[in-house]
Amino acid sequence: MPSPSASHVVIFPFMAQGHTLPLLDLSKALSRQQIKVTIITTPSNAKSIAKCVPNHPDIHLNEIPFPTIDGLPKGCENTSQLPSMEFLLPFLHATKQLQKPFEEVLETMIKSNTPPLCVISDFFLGFTLASCQALGVPRLVFHGTSALSMAIMKSSWVNASQINSLSMLDRVDLPGMKLPFTLTKADLPAETLNASNHDDPMSQFIDEVGWADANSCGIIINSFEELEKDHISFFESFYMNGAKAWCLGPLFLYDKIEGLEKSINQNQNPSMSTQWLDEQSTPDSVIYVSFGTQADVSDSQLDEVAFGLEESGFPFVWVVRSNAWSLPSGMEEKIKDRGLIVSEWVDQRQILSHRAIGGFLSHCGWNSVLESAVAGVPILAWPMMAEQSLNAKLVVDGFGAGLSVKRVQNQGPEILVSRQAISEGVKELMGGQKGRSARERAEALGRVARRAVQKDGSSHDTLSKLIDQLRAY
Ligand SMILES: O=c1ccn([C@@H]2O[C@H](COP(=O)(O)OP(=O)(O)O[C@H]3O[C@H](CO)[C@@H](O)[C@H](O)[C@H]3O)[C@@H](O)[C@H]2O)c(=O)[nH]1
């Protein structure tokens, strides 16, 4: 095994915003501990990453080309550019072709006597394990979500055949797990429910990267011990070789401490949404609406959101990802003084921390959950895909820091959530008793989350221990 240079870590994020952003935050946290970081990524992702890490001389980018493959639109290097989630599997397979250039980067580092202490790579980039093992570099894995959700998914994967015999609304009991909410089969991600279908290409892919995950020598978790302590050892039991889970989050908060906040804020011009929010005089009066960077939302469902927000009577800022959709006729006039619809990238963290924001209609991607909690903003939970139902249950039933939107049953697949459900949910969250109590719980959770990254906080201490451990490998 080559002797690692004292202070150098390689980070290889998966090309999806929700996976990349927290690893950029981790890069900043490491660089502030005198660890040099090399981020490996592809050319178009490098451009957006460079904008996120402009003031960090110890963070370097190393670009490797993204492969051109049949079945994937040309120039598509990030899941947010996929025409729909149907392209996810070809995209995942394309990333496997990054193995050779990745190895070449590591080999060059080793030859030039600057081997990294470790590689931290995303769960989806399972091929990195074999390369790291061949070159004698430890690989730590990053999933992007909580240890609780990962533990539920891993346990469900193992127990898939028993779970498959249940009906969707049946309660699922996972052996050895004490859950903070009642889990039903319907809460489990579609991929997990398909685990026992060994002919399914997505199951095969997850099996492959899951094996690499389980054989990694550590797991980076964007969460904090206070939240995860009851199930962390159960989660670790799915790993070989005594791998430890390191709870270092919320990672984005490392940006906000010890003077860095100042330098970052100085670089920011107030955005259109911030200016709009500044004009709203009542604190906690505006609902922020965003469904993350991956979920496909149909045009008819977007129409229903527009009607629901309008009917609720509350002001809103709504980030819409679809370029093809436009407001139903007559709606623009009705909402012009009360709503801001944005189709470009916004600074979500900044929006959530604005005093005018009082609630978040969210798909419950894990980053959004953390960002909302830290800002003390309660969530109106509308999970759409992946592990989001688990996150939503944790927020609503586990923390009491949100409410759930009511889904329409038996009305066909098109409209999952009606305008009435959206309107009623927004009214209760923003003005009702349940919403008030959810806000108090969100504020309490935010205090614990912020404390975790401060000096002597749990995540802060764990980061120091991780660095010591990396130096000892
Ligand atoms: O205009 C935008 C849109 C998004 N964001 C940020 O993008 C991230 C989005 O992450 P997340 O809320 O987790 O949503 P997704 O991108 O949909 O997340 C994917 O990745 C997450 C982490 O693994 C999973 O929890 C989700 O299920 C999965 O869909 C957050 O940091 C947001 O602040 C912005 O800053 N501006």
Side-chain angles (χ1 to χ4, degrees):
M1 173 163 168
S3 85
S5 67
S7 56
H8 180 214
V9 162
V10 166
I11 292 192
F12 194 177
F14 179 61
M15 301 85 188
Q17 306 290 5
H19 289 238
T20 299
L21 291 171
L23 282 181
L24 301 187
D25 295 322
L26 175 64
S27 305
K28 293 175 197 170
L30 288 170
S31 80
R32 293 173 63 242
Q33 303 276 340
Q34 282 72 54
I35 304 272
K36 284 192 167 54
V37 177
T38 301
I39 298 171
I40 300 184
T41 192
T42 66
S44 99
N45 288 295
K47 287 197 192 88
S48 50
I49 290 177
K51 284 188 204 146
C52 293
V53 285
N55 291 328
H56 293 269
D58 283 341
I59 302 177
H60 302 278
L61 293 186
N62 200 319
E63 290 180 29
I64 56 178
F66 195 89
T68 307
I69 65 154
D70 288 344
L72 204 60
K74 206 162 176 279
C76 179
E77 296 185 15
N78 192 290
T79 58
S80 62
Q81 298 162 334
L82 295 175
S84 83
M85 287 318 281
E86 283 168 24
F87 290 81
L88 181 62
L89 193 60
F91 185 86
L92 290 169
H93 279 298
T95 62
K96 290 204 244 177
Q97 293 185 31
L98 297 170
Q99 179 161 17
K100 195 160 178 291
F102 165 70
E103 276 174 15
E104 284 165 4
V105 172
L106 279 191
E107 273 162 358
T108 306
M109 286 172 179
I110 291 165
K111 276 187 199 137
S112 60
N113 216 20
T114 54
L117 295 172
C118 71
V119 168
I120 298 173
S121 61
D122 195 278
F123 169 78
F124 285 124
L125 306 177
F127 63 81
T128 53
L129 178 76
S131 307
C132 286
Q133 285 178 335
L135 294 167
V137 178
R139 184 238 184 172
L140 280 80
V141 63
F142 175 74
H143 304 113
T145 191
S146 68
L148 173 63
S149 292
M150 282 309 300
I152 293 174
M153 289 190 283
K154 281 180 178 290
S155 180
S156 308
W157 195 265
V158 174
N159 293 293
S161 45
Q162 290 96 304
I163 294 171
N164 278 346
S165 65
L166 303 173
S167 15
M168 285 314 263
L169 295 179
D170 279 350
R171 177 187 166 128
V172 175
D173 288 308
L174 296 169
M177 270 206 99
K178 206 171 76 199
L179 293 172
F181 50 78
T182 305
L183 179 72
T184 67
K185 184 177 171 185
D187 296 322
L188 294 169
E191 299 78 25
T192 307
L193 295 178
N194 220 1
S196 50
N197 179 0
H198 301 295
D199 297 329
D200 175 56
M202 184 56 102
S203 298
Q204 288 167 354
F205 182 85
I206 294 181
D207 258 341
E208 206 176 297
V209 293
W211 186 87
D213 176 31
N215 285 281
S216 299
C217 63
I219 315 107
I220 303 292
I221 309 283
N222 186 14
S223 186
F224 42 104
E225 205 178 292
E226 290 80 352
L227 202 151
E228 306 280 6
K229 59 181 181 317
D230 288 343
H231 37 263
I232 203 85
S233 30
F234 181 73
F235 171 62
E236 287 171 338
S237 71
F238 290 95
Y239 287 81
M240 311 295 150
N241 318 318
K244 180 172 163 47
W246 304 88
C247 287
L248 305 179
L251 288 167
F252 77 95
L253 282 179
Y254 287 104
D255 240 6
K256 296 205 176 293
I257 44 182
E258 289 176 29
L260 262 177
E261 183 174 20
K262 199 164 158 233
S263 65
I264 283 165
N265 287 341
Q266 277 169 353
N267 288 334
Q268 286 172 344
N269 297 321
S271 62
M272 181 172 62
S273 39
T274 311
Q275 286 176 22
W276 188 88
L277 285 168
D278 286 345
E279 288 160 17
Q280 312 301 311
S281 50
T282 317
D284 298 339
S285 61
V286 179
I287 180 135
Y288 171 60
V289 184
S290 172
F291 306 125
T293 63
Q294 292 193 198
D296 294 329
V297 188
S298 70
D299 287 358
S300 54
Q301 181 65 86
L302 290 172
D303 284 353
E304 213 64 7
V305 176
F307 284 116
L309 290 173
E310 195 268 319
E311 273 176 34
S312 78
F314 281 88
F316 61 87
V317 174
W318 178 15
V319 185
V320 182
R321 278 182 64 226
S322 166
N323 293 325
W325 176 80
S326 56
L327 272 172
S329 126
M331 186 60 80
E332 203 160 333
E333 188 55 27
K334 283 188 181 163
I335 61 162
K336 72 175 185 328
D337 297 325
R338 205 162 47 74
L340 178 70
I341 299 182
V342 195
S343 55
E344 61 274 13
W345 186 260
V346 298
D347 186 336
Q348 176 167 302
R349 297 164 185 179
Q350 196 179 49
I351 290 180
L352 283 169
S353 61
H354 196 286
R355 62 176 170 72
I357 294 291
F360 183 7
L361 174 55
S362 170
H363 69 310
C364 295
W366 185 242
N367 298 293
S368 290
V369 167
L370 286 176
E371 290 162 14
S372 204
V374 165
V377 171
I379 286 182
L380 181 56
W382 179 356
M384 297 187 168
M385 56 176 280
E387 90 300 6
Q388 294 158 12
S389 287
L390 305 174
N391 302 338
K393 277 257 165 107
L394 184 63
V395 168
V396 177
D397 300 342
F399 306 146
L403 311 177
S404 295
V405 284
K406 289 199 181 67
R407 281 164 195 267
V408 180
Q409 303 291 338
N410 307 321
Q411 287 203 6
E414 254 307 280
I415 305 284
L416 286 170
V417 176
S418 69
R419 66 189 72 180
Q420 290 83 359
I422 293 165
S423 161
E424 279 164 22
V426 171
K427 283 187 203 158
E428 186 57 41
L429 187 80
M430 301 298 287
Q433 181 50 43
K434 286 186 190 150
R436 260 192 295 285
S437 133
R439 184 160 304 114
E440 281 166 18
R441 301 299 297 269
E443 283 164 1
L445 182 63
R447 283 192 287 277
V448 180
R450 288 192 297 275
R451 223 173 15 247
V453 300
Q454 280 161 9
K455 199 163 179 295
D456 301 328
S458 61
S459 295
H460 191 278
D461 283 357
T462 305
L463 180 61
S464 303
K465 286 185 194 142
L466 170 65
I467 292 170
D468 290 347
Q469 169 86 63
L470 291 176
R471 289 190 165 131
Y473 272 138

Coordinates of all heavy atoms in Angstrom, one line a residue, residues 26-58:
L26 N -18.9 19.0 2.2 CA -17.9 18.2 2.9 C -16.5 18.7 2.5 O -15.6 18.8 3.3 CB -18.1 16.7 2.7 CG -17.1 15.8 3.3 CD1 -17.1 15.9 4.8 CD2 -17.3 14.4 2.8
S27 N -16.3 18.9 1.2 CA -15.0 19.4 0.7 C -14.6 20.7 1.4 O -13.4 20.8 1.9 CB -15.0 19.7 -0.8 OG -15.5 18.6 -1.5
K28 N -15.5 21.6 1.6 CA -15.2 22.8 2.3 C -14.9 22.6 3.7 O -13.9 23.1 4.3 CB -16.4 23.8 2.2 CG -16.7 24.3 0.8 CD -17.9 25.1 0.8 CE -18.5 25.3 -0.7 NZ -19.8 25.9 -0.7
A29 N -15.6 21.7 4.4 CA -15.3 21.4 5.8 C -14.0 20.7 5.9 O -13.2 21.1 6.8 CB -16.4 20.4 6.3
L30 N -13.6 19.8 5.0 CA -12.3 19.2 5.1 C -11.2 20.2 4.8 O -10.1 20.2 5.5 CB -12.2 18.1 4.1 CG -13.0 16.8 4.4 CD1 -13.0 15.8 3.2 CD2 -12.4 16.1 5.6
S31 N -11.4 21.1 3.8 CA -10.3 22.1 3.5 C -10.1 23.0 4.7 O -8.9 23.5 4.9 CB -10.7 22.8 2.2 OG -11.6 23.9 2.5
R32 N -11.1 23.3 5.5 CA -10.9 24.1 6.6 C -10.1 23.4 7.7 O -9.7 24.0 8.7 CB -12.2 24.6 7.1 CG -12.9 25.6 6.1 CD -14.3 26.0 6.4 NE -14.3 26.8 7.6 CZ -15.0 26.4 8.7 NH1 -15.6 25.2 8.7 NH2 -15.0 27.1 9.8
Q33 N -10.0 22.1 7.6 CA -9.2 21.3 8.6 C -7.8 21.0 8.0 O -7.2 19.9 8.3 CB -9.9 20.0 8.9 CG -11.3 20.1 9.4 CD -11.4 20.4 10.9 OE1 -10.4 20.1 11.6 NE2 -12.4 20.9 11.4
Q34 N -7.4 21.8 7.1 CA -6.1 21.7 6.4 C -6.0 20.4 5.6 O -4.9 19.8 5.5 CB -4.9 21.8 7.4 CG -4.6 23.2 7.8 CD -5.6 23.8 8.8 OE1 -5.9 23.1 9.8 NE2 -6.1 24.9 8.4
I35 N -7.1 19.9 5.1 CA -7.0 18.7 4.2 C -7.2 19.3 2.8 O -8.2 20.0 2.5 CB -8.2 17.7 4.5 CG1 -8.1 17.3 6.0 CG2 -8.2 16.6 3.5 CD1 -7.3 16.1 6.3
K36 N -6.3 18.9 1.9 CA -6.5 19.3 0.5 C -7.6 18.3 -0.1 O -7.6 17.1 0.2 CB -5.2 19.1 -0.3 CG -4.3 20.3 0.0 CD -3.2 20.2 -1.1 CE -2.3 21.4 -1.2 NZ -1.6 21.8 0.0
V37 N -8.4 18.8 -1.0 CA -9.4 18.0 -1.6 C -9.3 18.1 -3.1 O -9.2 19.1 -3.7 CB -10.8 18.5 -1.2 CG1 -11.9 17.6 -1.9 CG2 -11.0 18.4 0.3
T38 N -9.4 16.9 -3.8 CA -9.5 16.8 -5.2 C -10.9 16.3 -5.5 O -11.2 15.2 -5.1 CB -8.4 15.9 -5.9 OG1 -7.2 16.4 -5.5 CG2 -8.6 15.9 -7.4
I39 N -11.7 17.1 -6.2 CA -13.0 16.6 -6.6 C -12.9 16.1 -8.1 O -12.5 16.8 -9.0 CB -14.1 17.7 -6.6 CG1 -14.2 18.2 -5.1 CG2 -15.4 17.3 -7.1 CD1 -15.0 19.5 -5.0
I40 N -13.3 14.8 -8.3 CA -13.3 14.3 -9.6 C -14.7 14.4 -10.2 O -15.7 14.0 -9.6 CB -12.8 12.8 -9.6 CG1 -11.4 12.7 -9.0 CG2 -12.9 12.2 -11.0 CD1 -10.8 11.3 -9.1
T41 N -14.8 15.0 -11.4 CA -16.1 15.1 -12.0 C -15.9 15.3 -13.5 O -14.8 15.2 -14.1 CB -16.9 16.3 -11.4 OG1 -18.2 16.3 -11.8 CG2 -16.3 17.7 -11.8
T42 N -17.0 15.5 -14.2 CA -17.0 15.6 -15.7 C -17.1 17.0 -16.1 O -17.5 17.9 -15.3 CB -18.1 14.7 -16.3 OG1 -19.4 15.3 -15.9 CG2 -18.1 13.3 -15.8
P43 N -16.8 17.4 -17.3 CA -16.6 18.8 -17.7 C -17.8 19.7 -17.4 O -17.7 20.7 -16.8 CB -16.3 18.7 -19.2 CG -15.7 17.4 -19.4 CD -16.3 16.5 -18.4
S44 N -19.0 19.2 -17.8 CA -20.1 20.2 -17.6 C -20.5 20.3 -16.1 O -20.9 21.4 -15.6 CB -21.4 19.8 -18.4 OG -22.3 19.1 -17.7
N45 N -20.3 19.2 -15.3 CA -20.5 19.3 -13.9 C -19.4 20.2 -13.2 O -19.7 20.9 -12.2 CB -20.5 17.9 -13.2 CG -21.8 17.2 -13.6 OD1 -22.9 17.6 -13.2 ND2 -21.6 16.1 -14.4
A46 N -18.2 20.1 -13.8 CA -17.1 20.9 -13.2 C -17.5 22.4 -13.2 O -17.1 23.1 -12.3 CB -15.8 20.7 -14.0
K47 N -18.1 22.8 -14.3 CA -18.5 24.3 -14.4 C -19.4 24.7 -13.2 O -19.1 25.7 -12.6 CB -19.2 24.6 -15.7 CG -18.3 24.5 -16.9 CD -19.0 25.2 -18.1 CE -18.2 24.9 -19.4 NZ -18.7 23.6 -20.1
S48 N -20.4 23.9 -12.9 CA -21.3 24.3 -11.8 C -20.6 24.1 -10.5 O -20.8 24.9 -9.5 CB -22.6 23.6 -11.9 OG -22.5 22.3 -12.0
I49 N -19.8 23.1 -10.4 CA -19.1 22.9 -9.1 C -18.1 24.1 -8.8 O -18.0 24.6 -7.7 CB -18.3 21.5 -9.1 CG1 -19.3 20.4 -9.1 CG2 -17.3 21.4 -8.0 CD1 -18.7 19.0 -9.2
A50 N -17.4 24.5 -9.9 CA -16.5 25.6 -9.7 C -17.2 26.9 -9.1 O -16.6 27.6 -8.3 CB -15.8 25.9 -11.0
K51 N -18.4 27.1 -9.5 CA -19.2 28.2 -9.0 C -19.5 28.1 -7.5 O -19.6 29.1 -6.8 CB -20.5 28.4 -9.8 CG -20.3 29.0 -11.2 CD -21.7 29.3 -11.8 CE -21.6 29.3 -13.3 NZ -22.7 28.8 -14.0
C52 N -19.6 26.8 -7.1 CA -20.0 26.6 -5.7 C -18.8 26.6 -4.8 O -18.9 26.8 -3.5 CB -20.6 25.2 -5.5 SG -22.2 25.1 -6.3
V53 N -17.6 26.5 -5.3 CA -16.4 26.5 -4.4 C -15.4 27.5 -4.9 O -14.2 27.2 -5.2 CB -15.7 25.1 -4.3 CG1 -16.5 24.2 -3.4 CG2 -15.5 24.4 -5.7
P54 N -15.8 28.8 -5.1 CA -14.9 29.7 -5.7 C -13.7 30.2 -4.8 O -12.7 30.6 -5.3 CB -15.8 30.9 -6.0 CG -16.9 30.8 -5.0 CD -17.0 29.4 -4.7
N55 N -13.9 30.2 -3.5 CA -13.0 30.8 -2.6 C -12.1 29.8 -1.8 O -11.7 30.0 -0.7 CB -13.7 31.7 -1.6 CG -14.3 32.9 -2.3 OD1 -13.7 33.4 -3.3 ND2 -15.4 33.4 -1.8
H56 N -11.9 28.6 -2.4 CA -11.2 27.6 -1.6 C -10.0 27.1 -2.3 O -10.1 26.2 -3.2 CB -12.2 26.4 -1.3 CG -13.3 26.8 -0.4 ND1 -13.2 26.7 1.0 CD2 -14.5 27.4 -0.6 CE1 -14.3 27.2 1.6 NE2 -15.1 27.6 0.6
P57 N -8.8 27.7 -2.0 CA -7.6 27.3 -2.7 C -7.2 25.9 -2.5 O -6.5 25.4 -3.4 CB -6.6 28.3 -2.1 CG -7.1 28.8 -0.8 CD -8.6 28.7 -1.0
D58 N -7.7 25.2 -1.5 CA -7.3 23.8 -1.3 C -8.3 22.8 -1.9 O -8.1 21.6 -1.7 CB -7.2 23.6 0.3 CG -6.0 24.2 0.8 OD1 -5.0 24.4 0.0 OD2 -5.9 24.4 2.0

